[in-house]
Amino acid sequence: VAERLRQYAAMAGADPVKTEACAATPATAERIARSQELGKSVGVTGTPTLFLNGRRVGNPTASQYEALKGVVSFEAEQAGK
């Protein structure tokens, strides 16, 4: 697992040593646990999951760009009223 983390960090342009050290801290484990609990509490069952103004928007990878753009525009208009 640690080797894969280092590989992904390097591919993303991050420092693999710093990334591994951060991942090993209790604070990071706590942040991950809180994030997982939040996801469960709002019904997230996988990633990616997209919410707009508190509403879940299907699977964003399966949604077409124009459809997502329309939803975002609608939400922005509603928020401005």
Side-chain angles (χ1 to χ4, degrees), residues 2 5-11 13-22:
L5 178 61
R6 285 191 297 272
Q7 289 173 347
Y8 289 140
M11 288 177 0
D15 181 324
V17 174
K18 287 181 181 179
T19 300
E20 185 176 10
C22 177

Side-chain angles (χ1 to χ4, degrees), residues 1 28 66 72:
V1 173
T28 298
E66 289 302 321
V72 170

Side-chain angles (χ1 to χ4, degrees):
V1 173
E3 181 57 34
R4 280 193 354 203
L5 178 61
R6 285 191 297 272
Q7 289 173 347
Y8 289 140
M11 288 177 0
D15 181 324
V17 174
K18 287 181 181 179
T19 300
E20 185 176 10
C22 177
T25 67
T28 298
E30 174 61 27
R31 285 189 2 235
I32 291 169
R34 283 195 321 263
S35 182
Q36 288 173 327
E37 286 304 312
L38 174 61
K40 287 177 188 175
S41 74
V42 297
V44 172
T45 58
T47 58
T49 299
L50 176 65
F51 286 84
L52 292 171
N53 289 341
R55 285 190 237 162
R56 186 174 180 184
V57 178
N59 180 349
T61 58
S63 301
Q64 293 186 355
Y65 171 77
E66 289 302 321
L68 286 175
K69 184 178 172 183
V71 171
V72 170
S73 294
F74 173 79
E75 291 293 336
E77 286 176 22
Q78 295 303 307
K81 291 184 179 180

